[in-house]
């Protein structure tokens, strides 16, 4: 295992029992994307919020992910991997707040579509260290 490879924490949410099949497909996509990128999957991945928790502003599983990400962030690069931005939240303001929590924990967020806030997160981190 390469200790310099980023550690990916996979997150998803599912409000409906009928959508579990789509959830499984998204998670398979996250695993494949992390593998293509050379990222190591964090133990405990994926973190998932279900039902009401998947829609609420406070997400218990995402909170646990942020705690684990923060603990690992001192040792290596860390990120939260989601299938697409909507997996965090469909509302842009809510999504950005959740992304900010990840940045404050020392990581960044990426999607399986190649989108990322890594550059912004690194700039913020550099500002904190200056």
């Amino acid at each position: 295992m390469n200790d310099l490879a980023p550690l990916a924490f996979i997150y998803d949410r599912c409000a409906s029992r009928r959508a579990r099949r789509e959830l499984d497909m998204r998670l398979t996509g996250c695993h494949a994307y992390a593998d293509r990128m050379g990222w190591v999957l964090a133990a405990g991945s994926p973190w998932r919020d279900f039902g009401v928790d998947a829609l609420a502003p406070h997400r218990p599983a995402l909170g646990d992910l942020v705690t684990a990400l923060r603990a690992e962030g001192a040792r290596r690069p860390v990120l939260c991997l989601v299938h697409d931005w909507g997996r965090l939240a469909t509302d842009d303001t809510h999504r950005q707040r959740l992304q900010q929590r990840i940045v404050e924990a020392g990581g960044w967020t990426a999607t399986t579509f190649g989108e990322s806030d890594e550059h912004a997160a690194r700039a913020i981190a550099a500002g904190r260290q200056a």
Side-chain angles (χ1 to χ4, degrees):
M1 177 171 74
N2 180 353
D3 287 338
L4 298 178
L7 187 61
F9 293 75
I10 296 175
Y11 176 77
D12 206 331
R13 63 193 182 100
C14 185
S16 167
R17 290 183 187 266
R18 291 174 283 161
R20 297 283 172 104
R21 183 175 154 154
E22 288 96 13
L23 172 69
D24 290 341
M25 290 187 323
R26 289 191 304 264
L27 294 175
T28 297
C30 285
H31 282 263
Y33 187 77
D35 187 53
R36 281 194 310 274
M37 297 299 292
W39 297 337
V40 176
L41 292 179
S45 279
W47 279 264
R48 298 171 287 198
D49 281 306
F50 293 105
V52 175
D53 289 338
L55 302 173
H58 173 73
R59 308 266 178 79
L62 185 62
D64 292 344
L65 179 151
V66 169
T67 298
L69 183 141
R70 178 178 284 115
E72 290 293 332
R75 292 187 273 276
R76 67 190 309 167
V78 290
L79 70 125
C80 174
L81 177 61
V82 293
H83 176 68
D84 59 39
W85 292 129
R87 297 298 83 217
L88 285 176
T90 55
D91 174 76
D92 286 343
T93 301
H94 186 203
R95 176 182 52 81
Q96 290 167 356
R97 281 189 203 125
L98 295 174
Q99 284 178 264
Q100 184 62 33
R101 286 181 62 196
I102 293 162
V103 168
E104 289 169 356
W108 75 89
T109 307
T111 74
T112 60
F113 292 91
E115 302 161 305
S116 171
D117 62 6
E118 180 181 8
H119 294 297
R122 289 187 187 272
I124 291 167
R128 274 188 260 152
Q129 294 172 359

